[in-house]
Amino acid sequence: MKSATEMISLSQYLIEEQLKLPYATGDFTALMNHLVYAAKVVSREVRKAGLTDTILGATSETNVQGETQMKLDRYADILFTKALSICGHVCVLASEEQETIIEIPSGYKIGKYTFAFDPLDGSSNIDSNVSIGTIFSIHLRKSPMGRMGVESDLLQQGNLQRCAGYILYGSSTMMVLSTGNGVVGFTLDPSCGEFLLSHESIKIPESGSIYSINEGNYDFWSDSVKAYIRKIKNIENNNKPKTLRYIGSLVADFHRNLLKGGIFLYPEDTKSKIYPLGKLRLLYEASPMAFLAEQAGGMAITVDGERILDAVPTSLHQRTTLITGSKKEVEFFLDYTKQFKK
Ligand code: AHG
Ligand code: MN
Ligand code: MN
């Protein structure tokens, strides 16, 4: 680990990356600097959430997902929406907290990128001071420059992402991102207000002993998922059963497995029909996480084995199942569940 004086800041990193690209215009760097600003402000509010009643607790609203909107959901949504809408390099946004696309306000420059985000991931954990996060996904627009972006600019495959990442408001605040050349991690140093490069190249271990799934949904799983979970827990068949670690914040569960190795599963709910296609949203949860997983040497598929990054979104808030993590763990899931598929 480098000392703080040797570590480069995220802003310096982005400029160095930009200089490597002869055709770079600096638009992406400018966009990212607006994102970093919003991340620092949300991090500051999260850190003092228990001290003010403006951040903890629920609003009286339910969001487009039909879930109670937490005050911090709304705060983060407003902040990231504003920061990215006025940066001059985005043509259209999509937020988990807003039903339709977010257009660029009149009077502001319309740029060449799209920005899809989950402003606050793990909302159910906010009031209990458990790690939460923000997830973002950036594409190049498909529609011609010079006019407002449209929904189809956002509905692009994950393998076309220009950048994907998350901010984790955990024991420290980290930003983990990839622009397609591996995964890097930056840790916020509150004493100087800079994200400093702390993880130069994150690679997920090929296998891992952690599995992450909401065991409370056991009854709702398909037979193949039930059989897989029984298999990885069955001591007779394994010399070492896996360890269950599940926080209920995708960003935190994903980040831990990224560093330590393991598998995260959010399969479909075959019984109550609340989440027949899985709970997680493709555009701003599964797709950016899948980009990071693959860039770190891991995998990300649906419960049926489809590559998440190949999925073509048809609506902003469409849901998907998600199985992601260490390559060998996801491959074993695929291989083992085949025999139980009808
Ligand atoms: P969000 O707070 O943005 O709605 O996301 C919550 C998601 C995800 O973070 C987590 O993995 C999953 O919901 C947990 O769902 P369960 O509580 O059903 O396990
Ligand atoms: Mn979420
Ligand atoms: Mn959310």
Side-chain angles (χ1 to χ4, degrees), residues 21-236:
L21 303 170
Y23 56 85
T25 59
D27 292 0
F28 178 72
T29 302
L31 180 162
M32 289 302 291
N33 283 324
H34 278 76
L35 172 60
V36 165
Y37 166 73
K40 290 176 184 175
V41 176
V42 171
S43 176
R44 182 193 64 196
E45 291 309 308
V46 166
R47 301 260 165 254
K48 63 180 190 183
L51 303 174
T52 63
D53 63 359
T54 55
I55 290 292
L56 287 185
T59 66
S60 54
E61 318 279 319
T62 49
N63 63 14
V64 61
Q65 317 290 339
E67 296 155 347
T68 301
Q69 188 177 53
M70 305 300 282
K71 288 179 190 170
L72 195 53
D73 278 326
R74 177 182 292 168
Y75 182 85
D77 183 41
I78 292 168
L79 217 97
F80 281 101
T81 298
K82 183 142 172 55
L84 278 297
S85 296
I86 65 170
C87 77
H89 302 291
V90 172
C91 64
V92 65
L93 298 88
S95 164
E96 179 204 8
E97 299 298 329
Q98 300 188 46
E99 183 162 6
T100 56
I101 62 170
I102 305 163
E103 293 188 337
I104 304 306
S106 64
Y108 288 95
K109 186 168 161 282
I110 300 171
K112 63 185 176 192
Y113 294 106
T114 70
F115 190 81
F117 66 111
D118 177 356
L120 212 291
D121 175 67
S123 308
S124 61
N125 284 322
I126 294 173
D127 289 1
S128 38
N129 201 17
V130 170
S131 298
I132 49 183
T134 298
I135 310 171
F136 59 90
S137 168
I138 299 170
H139 280 92
L140 274 168
R141 72 184 299 171
K142 291 191 307 187
S143 60
M145 285 295 284
R147 61 178 77 163
M148 278 293 185
V150 291
E151 187 169 274
S152 57
D153 285 314
L154 288 154
L155 301 179
Q156 297 189 54
Q157 286 175 299
N159 57 36
L160 297 173
Q161 287 175 97
R162 172 68 180 77
C163 177
Y166 57 79
I167 300 119
L168 173 61
Y169 311 105
S171 43
S172 65
T173 294
M174 275 196 73
M175 184 178 291
V176 174
L177 62 89
S178 174
T179 56
N181 304 306
V183 179
V184 283
F186 298 84
T187 301
L188 182 61
D189 178 343
S191 68
C192 64
E194 281 290 356
F195 278 101
L196 300 178
L197 182 63
S198 51
H199 299 69
E200 285 191 66
S201 168
I202 301 177
K203 288 289 175 207
I204 187 168
E206 264 211 327
S207 56
S209 62
I210 294 171
Y211 78 100
S212 306
I213 191 168
N214 185 339
E215 287 263 7
N217 294 334
Y218 180 86
D219 237 2
F220 301 158
W221 297 338
S222 62
D223 293 342
S224 58
V225 171
K226 284 180 180 172
Y228 167 76
I229 296 296
R230 279 199 306 275
K231 169 76 177 171
I232 61 172
K233 293 201 296 189
N234 181 334
I235 296 170
E236 290 77 57

